[in-house]
Amino acid sequence: MVLEESFSSPNDNPTVESIKARAAAESYQVRLSDGSSFFIPPEALSDLGLHKSRTVDSTLYQRLRDAAQLFAAGQKALELAARREHSRFELRLKLQKRGFEETTIEKVIAKLERLEIIDDRRFAEAWLRSRMRRKSEGRRKLKAGLNAKGVDHRIVDELLDLSLIHI
């Protein structure tokens, strides 16, 4: 997993012990003198003004923790999205099960939607095509299946009404 830091509160304002670039994940590992370690994206390094020996007060510690959690949630979401299409709802549930905070999950999902990596309409189209290839199901059952996946009922109704989806 991308995240291996400790999220305990700092006792005596730790300092940045080391900052190591991780080329494969395009991230940096920041180790603090209290033993905690955070993986963050390159832009967070400069946004937070981190450098070796910098003292990390409680505010900076929280910002570092938040940046690390956002990065980890984003990496996990991309990993999940690379495997198959997901609805917004499904991705939210999977990230919640992994312990990510709700505000972090919302930011990650919003970004993935802006980048068109996740899209409920595209998910619903793929889901319907797959279900219709495997077995014959009626409109009601298909609609219930998509509703259970959190797809907006307007998208579901529109897709089920389209002539290219024959039911």
Side-chain angles (χ1 to χ4, degrees):
M1 180 159 193
V2 176
L3 191 65
E4 54 177 69
E5 67 273 47
S6 160
F7 285 148
S8 60
S9 296
N11 294 335
D12 298 317
N13 289 346
T15 58
V16 175
E17 219 170 63
S18 67
I19 299 173
K20 293 182 183 172
R22 297 181 60 222
E26 296 182 8
S27 64
Y28 287 89
Q29 180 181 21
V30 178
R31 287 191 183 275
L32 302 182
S33 59
D34 68 356
S36 56
S37 176
F38 304 88
F39 290 104
I40 59 173
E43 63 272 11
L45 193 63
S46 58
D47 290 348
L48 297 172
L50 294 175
H51 55 80
K52 192 169 180 189
S53 301
R54 168 139 189 215
T55 300
V56 179
D57 64 15
S58 60
T59 301
L60 181 56
Y61 189 91
Q62 184 62 41
R63 290 180 61 210
L64 182 57
R65 179 195 171 279
D66 291 347
Q69 186 172 96
L70 186 61
F71 180 70
Q75 292 294 107
K76 179 49 74 177
L78 285 172
E79 180 185 312
L80 293 167
R83 291 182 188 153
R84 70 165 178 86
E85 291 283 350
H86 284 78
S87 69
R88 176 182 234 283
F89 177 75
E90 282 183 315
L91 197 55
R92 174 182 300 287
L93 286 179
K94 288 183 179 186
L95 293 174
Q96 285 172 339
K97 285 181 184 177
R98 286 165 174 83
F100 294 108
E101 296 172 0
E102 195 57 40
T103 54
T104 299
I105 293 170
E106 189 52 43
K107 287 177 186 176
V108 167
I109 289 174
K111 182 176 182 178
L112 294 181
E113 285 179 325
R114 277 192 314 276
L115 296 172
E116 297 179 0
I117 293 171
I118 62 169
D119 179 286
D120 275 2
R121 181 182 178 86
R122 191 176 62 228
F123 164 79
E125 289 170 349
W127 190 89
L128 283 170
R129 277 192 301 277
S130 171
R131 294 300 284 235
M132 292 171 63
R133 269 193 306 264
R134 289 189 310 159
K135 56 185 165 185
S136 177
E137 294 180 330
R139 180 185 175 94
R140 239 201 256 151
K141 189 165 185 177
L142 292 169
K143 186 172 184 170
L146 283 171
N147 287 337
K149 301 285 187 184
V151 178
D152 185 280
H153 70 90
R154 292 171 294 206
I155 294 172
V156 175
D157 289 340
E158 180 184 338
L159 290 175
L160 290 173
D161 289 341
L162 283 176
S163 59
L164 40 111
I165 298 180
H166 301 287
I167 300 172

